Amino acid sequence: MILADKIMKLRKKAGWSQEDLAMKLDVSRQSVSKWESASSIPDLNRIISLSEIFGVSTDYLLKDEVEVVETVGIDTEPGVRKVSLVEATRYVDDKLESARITARGVFLIICGLMPLMILLAMATGEGFPINSDMAAGIGILILLVTVSISVGFFIKSGQMGQEAEHIEDGDFDLEYGVHGVFKEKLSKYSSKYVTQTALSVALFITCPVPLIISATLDSSDFVILMMVAVLLFMVAVGVFFIIPVGARHSAYKCILQEGEYSANQRSENKRSEKLGAFYWPLVVAIYLGWSFFTMDWGRTWIIWPIAGVGFAAFVGLIGLFDKE
């Protein structure tokens, strides 16, 4: 089998079109077409890239007499699953699609509050056919409908990607060439991740500004309620953009086992989850008991910032003991 046939066979086995392979190699589709028709051959650097992308040896690609696929890679411990480029790409695509569905649900819930604010604002003015009670009833009804639709989004999102639990748990190793491909993907995506995250955070920071200005100027209830609706819309837009971009970035990190998905950080996260499973229910019980006993709800909220700082301190202290 000649090189042209091997490239075509491996490409189809991976389920890629000529455009897909060309994009991964940073070449034109015509170049891939010429390789597969034997009109031209890729240079040495492209041969190495093809070897890494398909997870085969260069001998298999270059030697016509080698017919059996020779996969290359580092040895892994028995029982550790190998993740191919196709599987890793599917995992990232599933995580991104799941995040987009979740973002739609969250966006819908937040925007579901806007009709309530707008109706209440209009009810404060003269000439509106319904009073504030009717406006509140209609607004709450709309909110319940949007929440019901959002729950459907969340259920659908939760059902995606369940077959890739071994990747989430870190019980895998990458086939040869996969790490390099995803390292490059992460490098190219970093600028977009930083830009969209910065824009979303800017929306979160500036969303109270219209409301603060209207309250400072002693505006009417109509203006204040409308500014609350604007605040909710800005938050919804920020959430809609930050969830998918963060999910894709996290998926790349998970495949590469870097950052919060490194072996050390995974153990710290599991330790935090175990501590949180005991800690936060205890905090809730203390908060409710104290609040009902004193009936001073305006003061008992102070337990939450104290509990948050205390949780971070406990996690850090346990981590320090582990290092010692």
Side-chain angles (χ1 to χ4, degrees), residues 282-295 297 300 303:
L282 178 62
V283 171
V284 172
I286 294 174
Y287 168 71
L288 293 176
W290 183 20
S291 300
F292 279 113
F293 181 76
T294 62
M295 295 306 294
W297 297 86
T300 55
I303 193 174

Side-chain angles (χ1 to χ4, degrees), residues 86-143:
V86 175
E87 187 177 2
T89 303
R90 186 186 305 115
Y91 167 77
V92 174
D93 292 342
D94 288 345
K95 293 294 289 185
L96 180 58
E97 182 62 24
S98 176
R100 285 172 175 168
I101 294 173
T102 301
R104 295 186 195 113
V106 177
F107 179 85
L108 193 59
I109 286 179
I110 298 175
C111 287
L113 290 167
M114 292 175 58
L116 175 61
M117 297 296 105
I118 295 173
L119 287 170
L120 289 175
M122 298 179 68
T124 59
E126 296 181 359
F128 194 63
I130 60 177
N131 56 32
S132 59
D133 292 336
M134 294 178 62
I138 296 173
I140 292 174
L141 180 61
I142 295 174
L143 176 60

Side-chain angles (χ1 to χ4, degrees), residues 7 54 71 73 87 98 110 152 192 200 234 284 298 300-301 308 317:
I7 294 176
F54 290 128
T71 58
E87 187 177 2
S98 176
I110 298 175
K192 182 178 180 180
S200 297
M234 293 176 68
V284 172
T300 55
W301 64 267
L317 188 61

